[in-house]
Amino acid sequence: MSRDEAEARFDDLAALRIEVFRAFPYLYDGDAAYERAYLATYMRAPGAVVIGALDGDRLVGAATATPLGEHRAEFAAPFAARGLDVDDFFYFGESVLKSVYRGQGIGVRFFEERERAALEAAFGKCVFSAVIRPAGHPERPAGYTPLNRFWKKRGYERIEGLVTGFSWRDIGDDAETEKPMEYWMKALTPVR
Ligand SMILES: CC(C)(COP(=O)(O)OP(=O)(O)OC[C@H]1O[C@@H](n2cnc3c(N)ncnc32)[C@H](O)[C@@H]1OP(=O)(O)O)[C@@H](O)C(=O)NCCC(=O)NCCS
């Protein structure tokens, strides 16, 4: 969707993020101020892309992406330490989909559309981050399936040893805490 459409749906997008990221492994205790700050950074990036999943006129899912160098300049050093240049990467911010709409291929489409946007913007590599929670985390639901297999099937591989921090307030906490984030990347093959 266009920047104007995404901005017009700002409240819906924030509500969707707050709803979906309450679940493990994010456990995000979302609030409007955090959302405004997060999404404002996003909207400022000139190359940002928002993919919306609509049921009629209702936003039921969304995926975002932006050139990594525009969005998170502070990642330059940890990337460089692994021989990677942030300016080569298109960064996928999030995919969020209301649970009743899952398992119909919308998540796969989110990847396809963002990879298409990356190629259109002449980026050869895509990357996204995922929170690392300890194996025995008390909030991990029984039978929880990590998305690793889903990501591998889309051609993404974890970047060994690359970990950065990202802060938000967990449910039940009074203040934000920094969480370790791992990175998954894929080199794209241009479509002729
Ligand atoms: C990540 C997320 C967006 C995936 O969405 P989804 O729409 O359920 O994913 P899909 O339906 O596209 O894919 C799930 C599986 O269903 C399969 N599938 C595709 N089309 C399908 C269809 N028509 N019917 C049934 N299954 C289908 C996919 O192939 C995939 O299986 P695979 O990995 O073995 O290929 C969703 O689970 C979500 O919002 N999770 C919470 C937030 C989150 O963790 N986000 C990621 C980090 S930001």
Side-chain angles (χ1 to χ4, degrees), residues 127-183:
V127 68
F128 63 85
S129 61
V131 64
I132 305 170
R133 293 289 192 181
H137 193 285
E139 297 301 325
R140 184 185 167 107
Y144 169 74
T145 317
L147 287 168
N148 298 26
R149 209 181 54 88
F150 173 74
W151 294 329
K152 282 189 177 157
K153 199 154 176 188
R154 316 271 87 76
Y156 288 78
E157 289 296 336
R158 207 158 60 85
I159 304 174
E160 222 36 67
L162 178 55
V163 177
T164 67
F166 200 70
S167 296
W168 66 84
R169 191 177 68 236
D170 280 356
I171 296 163
D173 286 356
D174 294 331
E176 290 185 10
T177 49
E178 193 175 83
K179 262 64 76 173
M181 307 293 291
E182 63 182 22
Y183 288 80

Side-chain angles (χ1 to χ4, degrees), residues 4 6 8 14 17 21 23 25 40 72-74 76 95 102 120 123 129 132 134 136 140 145 182 184 187:
D4 287 350
R17 278 176 37 92
F21 288 148
R72 299 232 154 248
E74 72 272 23
S95 332
R102 293 181 194 164
E120 276 172 14
F123 284 91
S129 61
I132 305 170
R140 184 185 167 107
T145 317
E182 63 182 22
W184 291 68

Side-chain angles (χ1 to χ4, degrees), residues 1-10 43:
M1 58 176 70
S2 69
R3 188 173 298 262
D4 287 350
E5 281 170 319
E7 276 177 14
R9 291 181 183 275
F10 178 93
M43 295 298 178

